[in-house]
Coordinates of all heavy atoms in Angstrom, one line a residue:
P171 N 5.8 -11.3 -6.9 CA 6.4 -12.6 -7.0 C 5.5 -13.6 -6.2 O 4.6 -13.2 -5.4 CB 7.7 -12.5 -6.3 CG 7.6 -11.3 -5.4 CD 6.6 -10.4 -6.0
G177 N -2.9 -12.8 -2.9 CA -4.2 -13.5 -2.6 C -4.8 -13.0 -1.3 O -6.0 -12.6 -1.3
L183 N -9.2 -6.8 0.6 CA -9.8 -5.7 -0.2 C -11.2 -6.0 -0.6 O -12.1 -5.1 -0.6 CB -8.9 -5.4 -1.4 CG -7.6 -4.7 -1.2 CD1 -6.8 -4.7 -2.5 CD2 -7.8 -3.3 -0.6
L221 N 4.9 -20.4 -17.3 CA 3.8 -19.5 -17.6 C 2.9 -20.1 -18.7 O 3.4 -20.6 -19.7 CB 4.3 -18.1 -18.1 CG 4.8 -17.2 -17.0 CD1 5.1 -15.8 -17.6 CD2 3.9 -17.0 -15.8
L226 N -3.7 -17.4 -24.6 CA -4.7 -18.1 -23.8 C -5.2 -17.2 -22.6 O -6.4 -17.1 -22.3 CB -4.1 -19.4 -23.3 CG -5.1 -20.6 -23.2 CD1 -4.3 -21.9 -23.3 CD2 -5.8 -20.6 -21.9
G240 N -18.3 -4.0 -15.7 CA -17.9 -2.7 -15.1 C -17.8 -2.6 -13.6 O -17.6 -1.5 -13.1
G255 N 0.2 -6.9 -20.5 CA -0.1 -5.5 -20.1 C -0.6 -4.6 -21.2 O -1.6 -3.9 -21.0
E257 N -2.1 -5.6 -24.0 CA -3.4 -6.0 -24.4 C -4.5 -5.6 -23.4 O -5.6 -5.2 -23.8 CB -3.4 -7.6 -24.6 CG -2.6 -8.1 -25.8 CD -3.1 -7.5 -27.1 OE1 -4.3 -7.4 -27.3 OE2 -2.3 -7.1 -27.9
L258 N -4.1 -5.7 -22.1 CA -5.1 -5.3 -21.1 C -5.5 -3.8 -21.3 O -6.6 -3.4 -21.1 CB -4.4 -5.5 -19.7 CG -5.3 -5.1 -18.5 CD1 -6.5 -6.0 -18.5 CD2 -4.5 -5.3 -17.2
V269 N -1.5 0.3 -10.4 CA -0.8 -0.9 -10.3 C 0.0 -0.9 -9.0 O 0.6 0.0 -8.6 CB 0.3 -1.0 -11.5 CG1 1.1 -2.3 -11.3 CG2 -0.5 -1.0 -12.8
K276 N 13.8 -13.0 -2.4 CA 13.6 -14.4 -2.8 C 13.6 -15.3 -1.5 O 12.8 -16.2 -1.4 CB 14.7 -14.8 -3.8 CG 14.5 -16.2 -4.4 CD 15.5 -16.4 -5.5 CE 15.3 -17.6 -6.3 NZ 16.2 -17.8 -7.4
R282 N 7.9 -18.4 2.7 CA 6.4 -18.3 2.7 C 5.7 -19.4 1.9 O 4.7 -20.0 2.2 CB 6.0 -17.0 2.1 CG 6.3 -15.8 3.0 CD 5.5 -14.6 2.6 NE 5.8 -13.4 3.3 CZ 5.3 -12.3 3.1 NH1 4.5 -12.1 2.1 NH2 5.6 -11.2 3.8
V283 N 6.4 -19.8 0.8 CA 5.8 -20.8 -0.1 C 5.8 -22.1 0.7 O 4.8 -22.9 0.6 CB 6.7 -21.0 -1.4 CG1 6.5 -22.3 -2.0 CG2 6.4 -19.9 -2.4
T288 N -3.7 -23.6 1.0 CA -4.8 -22.8 0.3 C -6.1 -23.6 0.4 O -6.1 -24.8 0.7 CB -4.5 -22.5 -1.2 OG1 -4.3 -23.8 -1.8 CG2 -3.3 -21.7 -1.4
K351 N 1.7 4.8 -13.2 CA 0.7 4.0 -12.6 C 1.2 3.1 -11.5 O 0.5 2.3 -10.9 CB 0.1 3.0 -13.7 CG -0.7 3.7 -14.8 CD -2.1 4.0 -14.2 CE -3.0 4.6 -15.2 NZ -4.2 5.1 -14.5

Side-chain angles (χ1 to χ4, degrees):
L183 285 172
L221 286 185
L226 216 154
E257 290 300 317
L258 180 64
V269 176
K276 192 171 184 174
R282 288 199 186 176
V283 161
T288 56
K351 292 281 183 195

